[in-house]
Amino acid sequence: MEEPVLKKPKTASSSVENVIVTADEKTDGVASENLDAEINSLSFHKELASVMYGFGDLWNPLPETIDLMNQIVTEYIEDMTRESMNSALKGKMTYHCLLFSLRHQQQKVDRINQLIKINKELKERRRQGLKEEAKWFKTNPKHSHSHSH
């Protein structure tokens, strides 16, 4: 199996599975100006309002506060992406590049590894759940999804 490659999510709410992609979706590198344009189009406003509330801010923080937090988060992502790209081979950034950039911040490395593990487990559970559901419907044909009353 080919090594997963990190891909920048289009929105802040994209999940890890949207960030880690297979080799089929790899590009031959990201031009700096394209990266800037894509990062500048990110908006974390909705997510930041929820995170800020969870950390004790108002339910509906001031738009200026959210704008400032969005700028800080976006700059952090941009910096981490650039730093990770510096360790990428042939312009292809893998999650190993991100881990290398964070190698002196063990708590973050551990959290990334934990999230990747959880994502794999969730995918497997979904796959198993779909298999079990299909099996159940085969053995109970009168309970199909299109059953009408």
Side-chain angles (χ1 to χ4, degrees):
M1 177 170 230
E2 293 194 43
E3 181 178 299
V5 175
L6 288 180
K7 183 178 182 182
K8 186 188 67 54
K10 297 276 185 215
T11 65
S13 59
S14 295
S15 66
V16 173
E17 68 188 87
N18 291 334
V19 176
I20 299 176
V21 296
T22 61
D24 311 1
E25 298 172 348
K26 289 180 186 176
T27 61
D28 288 331
V30 179
S32 180
E33 57 275 359
N34 291 342
L35 179 62
D36 289 341
E38 288 187 41
I39 289 175
N40 288 335
S41 71
L42 285 178
S43 175
F44 297 91
H45 287 82
K46 181 180 175 185
E47 293 83 358
L48 284 170
S50 297
V51 169
M52 290 166 60
Y53 178 72
F55 279 93
D57 206 326
L58 300 173
W59 174 251
N60 215 358
L62 292 173
E64 296 85 0
T65 306
I66 296 175
D67 287 343
L68 176 61
M69 291 297 295
N70 189 67
Q71 180 182 353
I72 292 168
V73 168
T74 303
E75 286 175 8
Y76 179 79
I77 291 171
E78 183 177 1
D79 291 345
M80 287 306 308
T81 303
R82 288 187 192 289
E83 188 175 331
S84 297
M85 286 298 294
N86 288 337
S87 65
L89 298 175
K90 299 179 185 176
K92 296 178 183 176
M93 188 174 89
T94 67
Y95 71 97
H96 294 291
C97 299
L98 180 61
L99 294 177
F100 182 79
S101 297
L102 295 170
R103 67 191 177 279
H104 300 296
Q105 300 176 43
Q106 192 59 46
Q107 187 176 11
K108 290 180 182 179
V109 170
D110 292 343
R111 181 65 175 151
I112 290 169
N113 287 325
Q114 179 186 33
L115 290 172
I116 289 171
K117 180 181 176 189
I118 289 169
N119 187 54
K120 287 178 184 177
E121 290 173 2
L122 287 173
K123 281 183 179 181
E124 179 59 26
R125 287 183 187 171
R126 280 188 213 109
R127 192 178 66 74
Q128 290 296 326
L130 290 174
K131 280 184 179 179
E132 290 176 21
E133 183 178 314
K135 187 177 179 182
W136 186 86
F137 279 111
K138 283 181 184 177
T139 59
N140 298 290
K142 61 183 177 184
H143 293 97
S144 68
H145 287 295
S146 60
H147 181 73
S148 59
H149 295 274

